[in-house]
Every structure is written in structure tokens, then in C-alpha cells.
């Protein structure tokens, strides 16, 4: 009788058990909600709208699900996992490593790249040689609370009881790296890729030591619930790896930062402030479909923005054009900066148009820049050599490994156009990519570039909505490196 009385009030309620899978709920909702961090690698607003490695991956995953993408970035790590626990987001895609603590509480997806933890200090500050140096002379070590770096220090403290550090909640790794560069704190710990990227705008950041072996980076989901989304995520990353698209994306965002030159980077940042403002209007005027910043980076590689630059081989001007190349693009005076920039951009466009359509659109510009430096024929030789060795001739990460082989007899004797200084072409292209990254980073640090028409403020978080596949807009989905841009020095060859 008591049981009957308890059940009677429910008889008139419109209540039902929701037996849909997580994947079905997302598809019925029509939106994949992704939590991320607002930084230079995972997600930010670039010159052409939303960009970043995790943004690109999340957009592709949403397309696979047939839904819109809703990116909800935060500026600090502390808000991410609580949002996942509350159900405010479906997954976290923020370049986070798999730690034992995160593994206990959440479900990681497949690893999509690896990083190591590194201790950094400011150039000119004394270098910590071991863990016991972290607090020497009252030095301050600071890390983000709850980060993998905080957990590493907690583990180290077991063997070093005197070890102490500050934990911060209202900052992210990038902010702490900048505080090291400014001398506000002595040391911090960050992931190797993040350090390599931020050194393009803060070259005083110096690596002291490695604290870990390579650690896997993955997306995260709730542990509870079914495996419908997780199974699709495993398939998604497997397909990306098999097709080579994952390698292409990683090359796009951090394939060019494996080399760092402190003196050159410092000089370039000074030139951005002192020289670039004078020439920026001309780069913008003649860039056409290119990003003017890449055209500027190309010009700096060629002449260091010196309109009267002359090389011993006879190339000259802002874009260092040869005489035949200058004539082919209508340049009468190579030392005239406007003529040189206009001609260099036109020549670059011509070279770009010759790059095979089979090359990924994001990477055609790097092939064009290599052609600009060593000539189109030699670039094609590098592609043929790549294919002959069983690698992908349409992948820049594969072809750039073969460019230096063009200077080695056992390889160039097998090519159509023979010897070429391919190692110079490789350095040439990667330098331009690094200069381009520095210009973007400089602008990001000095200009508030959030477009209020694209950004809706929800609960203190900025939520960016990208359309579903059938509604896709090029403006929203294309990233900063999608637009074509190329070089103009070896054009002449």
C-alpha cells in the first residue's frame, strides 16, 4: 500500500528515461561543444578568423559528426575540467598532456603529438642546474595550479623536501612565460612546443633543463556514459594519421619552430618596431590574395627591409630580384621599393600557380617559397626524390627532409636538374615561416583583435560558433596560413 502511494504522484508526470547515446544527443542538439584554451597553439582569433591546431581538429571532428562547432575558450586551465564535469562542454581540446590524475578522473582520446616539460629562465639570469637550484638565492618558481607542471613539482618534492613553488590560478602557461621574460618571476615550467612558439616573440626565454620524457597530448571526455563519441574519436584520429593530414596540421602549426636563433629573433623584433611601419602600407597594397605579413616576412628574409640591398650575385632591392625576373614582372628600377614589392608579389603568384594542385592547399605556399629560392625545377626534383624514397611528395614535412639531399652527389646525380643548394632553400622557407609567426605574435600581443560580431559573451566565456558542414563559410573555417603566399629569390633560377 505504501509503495502504491509513493508511485501514484508520478503517474501524472510527463517523465521518461532518456536512453539516447551521447553521440545521438550531440547530433540531436546539432552542436559539438568544445572547451579549449585561448593561446597561440590551441585556439585564437587570427587575421582570417578562428585558428589554432585544436580548432582545426575540432572543426574536422564536428564535420564528421555533421554538426556545428561551438568553441568555448578560457584563459586559464582552472575552468576547463569543471566545465566538462558540469556538462557545459562535450570534450576538452586544449593541448593537455595525459597525467595519472587526469587519467583517473577523465577519459583521454588518442595522443596526437608529444611534448616534454622544460624549466625556463630569462637570458642573463643565472641558470638553474638541478631541482635544488629552483629556490637558490630566494628564486621564485611559479606554475599554473592543477597543471601537469604543478603535479611534476609535487612528485619531485618527495625526493626534495625543501622544494617550494608558487601556484597561480588567474594565469596560463603563456602568461607565466611572459613574466619570466619580463623578469617578474625567476622560473616556470612549460611544454616544449609552447616554449618554442613563444620564443618567436619573447626570445629572452631560455630553456634550462628537461623535467620529463616526451608525454602524450590528447583530448579529454567524461569517464561516465557510453563510448559512442569516444569510439568515433578513435576512428577520427586514426584516419587523420593514416591519411597524413595530422602530420600536415602539426607541420602547419609548429613544424617550423625546431630551430631558434636568439640574436636573429631579437633583431627581427626590433625591425618590426622600427622599420616595418614604413613599409607596411606597400606590403598591404600589393599583397593581393596573399597575407601581407607573409610578404613582409619574405622581404625581410631577402633584404632585411633594406630597399637598396645588393648581393654579390646581382640580385637587389626589397625583394632581391634578379634582372631577368625584374624584367619579367615589369620592374624597371629594382631599387625602387614600391616597384620591388609589387614585382616580388607578382612573381610569387606566378610561382605559386605552378605548384601542383595535388599539394595540400595549406602547404602550397611553402613549395612556392622553395621554388622562389632554388628554382621550380629543383623543387620538383625534391618532390620526385621524396616519392622515390616512399614518402609523400605533396607533404612539406616529407619534402623538406629531401631538399638538403639535392646538394649530395649520391642523390643529385639521380635528378633531372642536378645539384642545388637545397639546404639553403630549407633554411630560407623555415626562416620566413618563423618571421611570419613573429609578426602574428607581435600583433596579437599589441592589438586587441576580437571581433564583437563573431564573439558572443556567455557567462564570462567567449563562445565561437562555426557552421555545420553544409553551411560552411570560408571566412570562418580558413586559418591564417591558408591564404597563398610565396617567395621571390630563386625564382630567378
Amino acid at each position: 500500500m505504501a509503495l502504491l502511494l509513493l508511485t501514484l504522484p508520478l503517474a501524472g508526470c510527463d517523465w521518461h528515461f532518456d536512453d539516447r547515446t551521447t553521440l545521438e544527443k550531440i547530433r540531436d542538439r546539432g552542436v559539438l561543444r568544445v572547451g579549449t584554451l585561448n593561446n597561440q597553439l590551441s585556439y585564437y582569433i587570427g587575421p582570417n578568423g578562428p585558428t589554432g591546431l585544436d580548432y582545426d581538429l575540432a572543426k574536422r571532428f564536428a564535420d564528421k559528426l555533421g554538426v556545428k562547432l561551438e568553441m568555448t575558450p578560457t584563459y586559464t586551465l582552472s575552468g576547463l575540467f569543471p566545465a566538462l564535469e558540469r556538462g557545459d562542454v562535450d570534450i576538452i581540446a586544449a593541448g593537455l598532456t595525459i597525467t595519472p590524475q587526469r587519467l583517473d578522473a577523465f577519459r583521454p582520446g588518442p595522443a596526437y603529438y608529444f611534448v616534454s616539460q622544460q624549466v625556463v629562465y630569462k637570458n642573463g639570469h643565472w641558470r638553474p642546474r638541478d631541482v635544488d637550484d629552483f629556490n637558490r638565492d630566494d628564486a621564485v618558481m611559479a606554475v599554473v595550479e592543477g597543471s601537469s607542471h604543478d603535479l611534476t613539482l609535487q612528485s619531485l618534492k618527495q625526493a626534495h623536501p625543501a622544494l617550494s613553488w608558487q601556484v597561480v590560478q588567474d594565469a596560463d602557461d603563456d602568461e607565466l612565460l611572459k613574466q619570466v621574460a619580463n623578469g617578474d618571476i625567476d622560473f616556470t615550467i612549460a611544454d616544449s612546443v609552447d616554449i618554442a612558439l613563444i620564443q618567436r616573440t619573447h626570445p629572452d626565454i631560455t630553456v634550462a633543463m628537461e623535467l620529463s620524457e616526451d608525454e602524450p597530448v590528447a583530448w579529454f571526455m567524461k569517464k561516465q556514459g557510453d563510448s559512442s563519441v569516444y569510439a568515433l574519436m578513435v576512428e577520427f584520429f586514426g584516419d587523420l594519421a593514416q591519411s597524413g593530414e595530422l602530420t600536415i596540421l602539426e607541420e602547419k602549426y609548429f613544424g617550423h619552430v625546431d630551430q631558434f636563433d636568439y640574436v636573429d629573433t631579437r633583431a627581427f623584433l626590433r625591425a618590426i618596431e622600427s622599420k616595418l611601419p614604413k613599409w607596411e602600407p606597400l606590403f598591404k597594397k600589393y599583397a593581393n590574395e596573399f597575407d601581407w605579413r607573409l610578404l613582409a616576412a619574405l622581404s625581410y628574409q631577402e633584404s632585411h627591409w633594406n630597399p637598396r640591398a645588393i648581393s654579390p650575385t646581382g640580385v637587389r632591392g626589397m625583394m632581391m630580384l634578379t634582372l631577368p625576373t625584374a624584367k619579367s614582372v615589369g620592374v624597371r628600377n629594382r631599387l625602387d621599393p614600391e616597384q620591388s614589392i609589387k614585382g616580388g608579389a607578382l612573381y610569387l603568384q606566378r610561382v605559386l600557380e605552378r605548384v601542383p594542385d595535388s599539394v595540400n592547399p595549406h602547404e602550397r605556399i611553402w613549395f612556392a617559397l622553395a621554388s622562389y629560392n632554388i628554382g621550380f625545377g629543383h623543387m620538383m626534383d625534391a618532390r620526385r626524390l621524396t616519392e622515390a624514397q616512399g614518402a609523400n611528395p605533396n607533404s612539406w614535412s616529407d619534402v623538406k627532409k629531401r631538399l638538403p639531399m639535392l646538394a649530395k652527389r649520391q642523390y643529385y646525380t639521380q635528378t633531372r636538374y642536378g645539384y642545388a643548394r637545397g639546404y639553403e632553400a630549407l633554411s630560407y622557407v623555415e626562416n620566413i615561416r618563423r618571421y611570419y609567426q613573429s609578426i602574428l605574435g607581435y600583433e596579437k600581443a599589441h592589438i586587441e583583435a576580437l571581433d564583437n560580431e563573431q564573439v558572443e559573451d556567455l557567462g564570462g566565456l567567449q563562445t565561437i560558433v562555426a557552421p555545420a558542414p553544409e553551411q560552411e563559410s570560408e571566412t570562418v573555417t580558413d586559418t591564417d596560413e591558408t591564404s597563398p603566399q610565396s617567395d621571390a629569390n630563386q625564382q630567378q633560377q
Side-chain angles (χ1 to χ4, degrees):
M1 188 65 180
L3 180 61
L4 178 62
L5 291 174
L6 286 173
T7 57
L8 281 175
L10 298 177
C13 295
D14 186 17
W15 178 89
H16 66 279
F17 177 71
D18 190 348
D19 59 353
R20 294 176 300 168
T21 66
T22 305
L23 178 58
E24 288 171 339
K25 292 175 183 177
I26 291 173
R27 283 178 167 158
D28 288 346
R29 186 197 310 138
V31 174
L32 174 68
R33 303 167 306 175
V34 177
T36 190
L37 288 173
N38 191 294
N39 60 34
Q40 58 189 334
L41 181 56
S42 290
Y43 165 85
Y44 67 98
I45 303 295
N48 299 315
T51 187
L53 175 59
D54 285 299
Y55 172 81
D56 268 4
L57 289 170
K59 184 66 178 70
R60 284 164 170 76
F61 190 52
D63 289 350
K64 184 178 180 68
L65 271 59
V67 298
K68 292 180 180 179
L69 170 65
E70 182 179 279
M71 295 292 286
T72 302
T74 67
Y75 293 94
T76 60
L77 178 64
S78 59
L80 272 182
F81 285 103
L84 182 60
E85 289 177 325
R86 291 191 305 267
D88 294 341
V89 296
D90 302 305
I91 60 176
I92 291 175
L96 301 179
T97 55
I98 300 174
T99 66
Q101 292 81 355
R102 290 170 183 165
L103 198 56
D104 286 342
F106 302 95
R107 190 175 200 176
Y112 57 107
Y113 66 96
F114 292 80
V115 295
S116 62
Q117 296 185 36
Q118 298 176 334
V119 177
V120 297
Y121 66 105
K122 182 179 181 179
N123 185 50
H125 187 286
W126 56 267
R127 176 184 176 182
R129 300 287 177 175
D130 54 38
V131 175
D132 293 325
D133 275 351
F134 293 173
N135 303 127
R136 180 162 66 88
D137 298 339
D138 297 322
V140 175
M141 163 69 77
V143 295
V144 175
E145 185 177 25
S147 65
S148 58
H149 316 123
D150 186 14
L151 299 175
T152 294
L153 289 174
Q154 292 177 30
S155 177
L156 288 172
K157 190 172 177 63
Q158 297 176 18
H160 304 268
L163 177 63
S164 65
W165 64 94
Q166 293 181 2
V167 292
V168 293
Q169 286 186 322
D170 56 349
D172 60 6
D173 289 342
D174 280 5
E175 178 60 31
L176 292 185
L177 286 168
K178 293 172 185 176
Q179 289 184 29
V180 170
N182 295 333
D184 298 328
I185 58 176
D186 298 293
F187 314 123
T188 191
I189 304 171
D191 292 338
S192 51
V193 171
D194 293 325
I195 294 169
L197 287 171
I198 205 167
Q199 281 179 319
R200 299 307 312 162
T201 52
H202 295 79
D204 283 330
I205 294 171
T206 307
V207 176
M209 68 181 77
E210 300 257 353
L211 278 188
S212 74
E213 300 293 332
D214 284 347
E215 300 174 328
V217 173
W219 290 357
F220 289 88
M221 300 180 58
K222 277 185 176 181
K223 258 195 170 181
Q224 305 89 344
D226 59 82
S227 298
S228 56
V229 176
Y230 176 77
L232 202 61
M233 187 186 299
V234 172
E235 178 186 315
F236 169 73
F237 277 104
D239 290 345
L240 283 182
Q242 177 117 21
S243 67
E245 190 172 1
L246 183 58
T247 299
I248 289 173
L249 284 174
E250 290 173 353
E251 172 66 33
K252 173 182 177 180
Y253 285 104
F254 51 79
H256 58 295
V257 295
D258 54 343
Q259 300 292 327
F260 173 65
D261 186 321
Y262 171 78
V263 174
D264 180 67
T265 305
R266 283 290 300 270
F268 181 63
L269 291 173
R270 287 195 294 268
I272 289 178
E273 293 184 341
S274 62
K275 294 183 178 181
L276 183 57
K278 179 178 180 180
W279 306 117
E280 182 177 328
L282 289 179
F283 290 127
K284 289 181 174 179
K285 181 178 180 180
Y286 294 110
N288 296 320
E289 70 266 40
F290 297 125
D291 186 338
W292 72 267
R293 301 163 187 83
L294 190 58
L295 193 63
L298 165 59
S299 178
Y300 185 84
Q301 171 65 23
E302 292 287 358
S303 67
H304 282 204
W305 297 327
N306 176 7
R308 306 198 66 79
I310 300 176
S311 83
T313 58
V315 294
R316 58 182 61 191
M318 287 282 282
M319 305 299 283
M320 295 297 274
L321 303 175
T322 63
L323 188 57
T325 297
K327 289 182 178 179
S328 73
V329 291
V331 173
R332 296 184 178 182
N333 180 3
R334 288 180 288 168
L335 298 183
D336 179 277
E338 184 163 6
Q339 288 189 44
S340 183
I341 292 172
K342 179 181 179 181
L346 177 59
Y347 182 80
L348 182 59
Q349 179 61 44
R350 291 179 181 177
V351 173
L352 181 67
E353 290 170 355
R354 298 184 66 188
V355 176
D357 291 337
S358 56
V359 174
N360 188 290
H362 294 303
E363 298 194 322
R364 295 183 73 238
I365 184 58
W366 314 131
F367 285 84
L369 288 171
S371 300
Y372 192 102
N373 183 256
I374 60 171
F376 184 79
H378 290 304
M379 185 274 289
M380 292 298 290
D381 275 347
R383 293 185 73 245
R384 285 187 281 266
L385 187 59
T386 302
E387 186 172 24
Q389 294 183 354
N392 184 0
N394 298 316
S395 166
W396 175 247
S397 63
D398 284 351
V399 173
K400 75 178 187 179
K401 296 173 184 175
R402 276 77 187 179
L403 280 171
M405 296 180 183
L406 298 179
K408 297 180 180 180
R409 183 176 179 83
Q410 73 257 42
Y411 298 111
Y412 72 71
T413 53
Q414 306 171 26
T415 64
R416 186 176 301 176
Y417 292 92
Y419 172 87
R421 296 190 298 273
Y423 53 90
E424 290 185 358
L426 172 59
S427 176
Y428 179 88
V429 176
E430 302 299 84
N431 280 345
I432 292 171
R433 296 180 68 188
R434 286 187 280 268
Y435 293 145
Y436 177 61
Q437 186 71 38
S438 291
I439 296 175
L440 289 175
Y442 180 88
E443 286 189 338
K444 187 174 184 292
H446 290 78
I447 299 174
E448 296 185 15
L450 287 177
D451 185 346
N452 291 330
E453 294 181 358
Q454 286 182 300
V455 179
E456 180 184 357
D457 192 9
L458 298 178
L461 302 179
Q462 294 164 338
T463 300
I464 311 298
V465 179
E470 62 272 16
Q471 302 169 324
E472 189 166 351
S473 162
E474 288 184 9
T475 304
V476 174
T477 59
D478 284 355
T479 61
D480 50 90
E481 292 183 5
T482 312
S483 52
Q485 16 236 341
S486 178
D487 185 287
N489 190 308
Q490 195 70 22
Q491 59 201 23
Q492 44 251 27
Q493 298 185 14

